[in-house]
Amino acid sequence: MARCIVIGAGLAGLVAADALARDGVEVEVLEARDRVGGRVWSARMDGGGLVERAGEFITAGYEATEALADRLGLALDGMGIRYPDRALRPDPGIDRAAALAAAHAVERAAAAEPDAPALELLDREVPDPAIRELLASRAQSSSSYPVEGLTGGHIADIAHLLDDVETRRVRGGNQGLAAGLAVGLGDAVRLGTPVRGVRRTAGRVEVEADDGRHVADACVVAVPLPILGRIDFDPGLPEAHRAAIAAIPFGRAAKLALPLTAAVAPDAVMSVPERFWAYVTPCDEVGGSVVGSWAAAEPVLARLAAREGPDRWIRAVGELWPELPLDPGARPRLTRWIDAEWTGGSYSVIGAMPDGRDRHPVGDAIDGIAFAGEHTAPAPWTATIEGAIRSGERAAADARALLGAV
Ligand SMILES: Cc1cc2nc3c(=O)[nH]c(=O)nc-3n(C[C@H](O)[C@H](O)[C@H](O)COP(=O)(O)OP(=O)(O)OC[C@H]3O[C@@H](n4cnc5c(N)ncnc54)[C@H](O)[C@@H]3O)c2cc1C
């Protein structure tokens, strides 16, 4: 029986492992953390409120996510908000149709000049300063990277940040997707097993983990991009892969969840000058009201002092949305995706693919190794839950081809 090791039990790795196992391949999944899910991580506040500590919003076009939830018997609940719809404070009085028209103009310019600085394209295409500031703020927030470092390729689908599809999430928590896959894989998933090295020799792959050496016919490496650069590959990864790992930026973000003393109607409010936002969504059957807040990119995280703790950010949420009944006695939950040990930040910042390819070459299989993970997803799905799932499906096909060659 062919044997494949999958490194990383995030959605990408688990989807790949599940697909291979269903094909009759013997799989073993090695995961550094003591939980599955990676960047989908659901938790409950003291009052029972459901919190997504990372990947949360399931929006338009998430077909692979819908199919996976369906197969695992998980429901997707509407969140009562549209990811793009946020009350702006202070309100610059922007007309939605004008903002959408501006976003489409930016998209056309970005397609023509993918390497031009994003700010230059915004300056040129968007005469209204309030709309320009909104688009800059949204581009920075969603990419979790300073807008000054983004290019046309990164904002080539900026209009989707203004679409009007209701956002959903998995009932009981998005991590249920990962947990459901892990149940099917049973003992094949080994938690608390960081991988340090991958050696390819004589048609075999030897994986060096903290609990010893694991041997297989092929492996799927499904770790985040910064971690890929920290694994010791022998022989080393091809130059093209190494150059991509060094060149692709990786964002930084944090999430704050605060319990409320009373239920509040679903809504979302964004500070355009401060470039962070907060949202309230109905909790599930367990109840408990929570406000979530998102801050991304280094300058915003610094202004909110997210590295130091939640205090300044809590004050900022109170000032942004004074009507919220914040519970001063309740424990906040701050999750930092700044230098998380097994992630190295938030997600990849890829944008337009080189040479008009469908996906970045950093995900191309090499002898004995297939690659999965959001950074290897097809455009425009990098940095998303949907992209992680699609990348896992594709990596399973790559691994099958490698195993067929054993
Ligand atoms: C704060 C935040 C908010 C987000 N919001 C959204 C959103 O609203 N909507 C959306 O669609 N997407 C969102 N995303 C993106 C989405 O969560 C990710 O794209 C997706 O979950 C990545 O899955 P993955 O399997 O590629 O990587 P991961 O989930 O990171 O999985 C990689 C796994 O590899 C493990 N690992 C790392 N190193 C090793 C090692 N050496 N040995 C063994 N195991 C290792 C890790 O512990 C992890 O479990 C968000 C991400 C973050 C961080």
Side-chain angles (χ1 to χ4, degrees):
M1 189 192 242
R3 197 175 136 71
C4 185
I5 292 171
V6 176
I7 306 174
L11 281 176
L14 290 169
V15 164
D18 171 72
L20 289 166
R22 286 191 288 136
D23 268 3
V25 175
E26 183 189 342
V27 293
E28 186 176 31
V29 183
L30 305 179
E31 165 56 46
R33 289 184 169 104
D34 60 3
R35 62 172 178 84
V36 296
R39 283 171 279 172
V40 285
W41 186 17
S42 312
R44 297 232 170 243
M45 302 294 282
D46 291 342
L50 178 64
V51 176
E52 295 295 348
R53 306 188 72 168
E56 178 155 11
F57 306 107
I58 294 172
T59 58
Y62 276 52
E63 288 166 13
T65 310
E66 283 166 13
L68 178 61
D70 199 42
R71 186 156 68 77
L72 296 173
L74 297 168
L76 297 178
D77 287 334
M79 293 179 69
I81 53 173
R82 292 166 167 71
Y83 176 69
D85 269 355
R86 299 167 195 177
L88 303 180
R89 293 188 183 175
D91 182 5
I94 290 174
D95 172 60
R96 186 187 169 81
L100 205 54
H104 285 302
V106 172
E107 284 194 350
R108 283 191 293 276
E113 291 176 71
D115 295 327
L119 282 179
E120 197 178 297
L121 297 175
L122 287 167
D123 274 351
R124 204 171 67 207
E125 301 297 328
V126 189
D128 182 328
I131 296 180
R132 194 162 63 229
E133 176 59 14
L134 172 67
L135 294 180
S137 166
R138 296 299 307 271
Q140 171 168 290
S141 177
S142 69
S143 67
S144 71
Y145 201 72
V147 68
E148 292 78 10
L150 300 179
T151 64
H154 295 122
I155 57 169
D157 63 345
I158 196 165
H160 89 275
L161 297 176
L162 300 169
D163 71 18
D164 63 354
V165 175
E166 186 183 15
T167 295
R168 294 159 296 163
R169 64 182 184 184
V170 175
R171 185 173 304 163
N174 290 343
Q175 199 179 347
L177 293 170
L181 289 166
V183 165
L185 289 162
D187 292 346
V189 181
R190 288 171 188 253
L191 301 178
T193 311
V195 166
R196 310 290 174 181
V198 177
R199 183 154 181 260
R200 289 171 287 149
T201 168
R204 307 281 281 169
V205 178
E206 294 175 8
V207 173
E208 204 61 52
D210 279 11
D211 68 344
R213 181 167 299 174
H214 302 247
V215 181
D217 303 302
C219 96
V220 174
V221 180
V223 302
L225 187 71
I227 309 296
L228 195 53
R230 288 183 213 155
I231 292 180
D232 180 18
F233 289 92
D234 176 19
L237 292 177
E239 171 54 26
H241 284 67
R242 283 186 283 129
I245 294 166
I248 297 172
F250 210 71
R252 302 201 186 304
K255 291 180 94 169
L256 177 67
L258 304 171
L260 302 175
T261 55
V264 170
D267 207 354
V269 175
M270 179 168 187
S271 163
V272 179
E274 295 290 322
R275 294 184 173 170
F276 79 98
W277 67 292
Y279 51 97
V280 174
T281 182
C283 276
D284 54 10
E285 68 281 5
V286 178
S289 289
V290 179
V291 58
S293 185
W294 165 261
E298 205 60 74
V300 181
L301 295 165
R303 269 201 302 277
L304 294 170
R307 273 196 175 78
E308 286 76 60
D311 297 350
R312 195 186 302 172
W313 193 349
I314 294 173
R315 282 200 301 280
V317 170
E319 283 159 20
L320 173 71
W321 200 341
E323 312 89 286
L324 279 181
L326 294 179
D327 183 348
R331 195 160 59 98
R333 183 158 272 160
L334 172 63
T335 312
R336 285 176 283 227
W337 297 91
I338 298 173
D339 37 25
E341 186 179 12
W342 300 112
T343 311
S346 55
Y347 37 74
S348 64
V349 187
I350 294 185
M353 300 295 169
D355 308 323
R357 288 181 44 141
D358 168 53
R359 64 183 169 81
H360 201 283
V362 74
D364 288 354
I366 58 173
D367 190 23
I369 305 179
F371 295 93
E374 52 83 7
H375 54 285
T376 72
W381 295 111
T382 55
T384 64
I385 290 170
E386 176 74 9
I389 294 171
R390 291 189 190 206
S391 81
E393 290 167 352
R394 191 259 317 136
D398 287 353
R400 264 182 231 117
L402 294 173
L403 291 167
V406 165

